[in-house]
């Protein structure tokens, strides 16, 4: 039931991939640099394509190379690669948070702005 519907939706969305646009954007060095940086830092993503352009607008995202089943991992990102409010505030840009604390402390969007 559900699996067949998901598979049908996947196939429908896969047809929405704009191959010409995808091939063009893959020539942009920033995507190659990002993929190199990610893999050098331990990100595992052998079952996804990136970048991929979708729909008439050419929205950039990722696409599965194969079916992904329920509870199957397809992207592995080491903890050291996570960006959190805590890690940002301990980073080399921490002086920004001190100098402009009014934007981060007490503001309901402070954490969002931080990231």
């Amino acid at each position: 039931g559900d699996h067949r519907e998901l598979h049908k939706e996947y196939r429908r969305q896969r047809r929405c991939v704009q191959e010409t646009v995808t091939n063009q954007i893959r020539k942009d060095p920033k995507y190659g640099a990002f993929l190199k940086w990610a893999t050098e830092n331990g990100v595992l993503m052998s079952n996804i394509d990136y970048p991929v352009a979708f729909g008439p607008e050419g929205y950039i995202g990722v696409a599965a190379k194969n079916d992904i089943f329920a509870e199957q991992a397809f992207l592995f990102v080491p903890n050291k690669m996570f960006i959190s409010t805590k890690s940002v505030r301990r980073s080399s840009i921490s002086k920004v948070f001190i100098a402009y604390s009014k934007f981060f402390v007490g503001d309901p969007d402070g954490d969002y702005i931080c990231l």
Side-chain angles (χ1 to χ4, degrees):
D2 286 339
H3 176 63
R4 275 192 215 118
E5 288 302 313
L6 287 172
H7 188 70
K8 223 161 95 176
E9 178 64 13
Y10 164 76
R11 293 288 179 219
R12 185 189 70 73
Q13 288 182 7
R14 191 67 184 163
R15 283 193 299 271
C16 293
V17 170
Q18 300 298 321
E19 297 293 340
T20 303
V21 178
T22 295
N23 291 333
Q24 289 173 336
I25 63 173
R26 285 186 177 169
K27 293 175 186 173
D28 188 326
K30 71 181 176 186
Y31 296 108
F34 172 76
L35 290 170
K36 182 177 187 265
W37 170 80
T39 54
E40 285 176 351
N41 283 283
V43 175
L44 302 175
M45 52 187 161
S46 62
N47 198 29
I48 60 173
D49 280 331
Y50 175 82
V52 177
F54 291 94
E57 296 84 7
Y59 292 120
I60 298 171
V62 299
K65 291 180 182 177
N66 303 298
D67 290 344
I68 299 172
F69 300 100
E71 299 182 26
Q72 177 185 359
F74 59 92
L75 176 66
F76 301 86
V77 181
N79 285 338
K80 71 177 184 172
M81 299 295 289
F82 286 115
I83 299 172
S84 67
T85 56
K86 193 181 217 179
S87 66
V88 170
R89 288 190 170 111
R90 283 194 264 155
S91 73
S92 60
I93 63 167
S94 62
K95 58 186 169 270
V96 172
F97 303 107
I98 295 166
Y100 300 98
S101 63
K102 68 181 178 184
F103 295 108
F104 305 103
V105 179
D107 187 312
D109 293 327
D111 287 346
Y112 177 76
I113 296 167
C114 171
L115 295 172

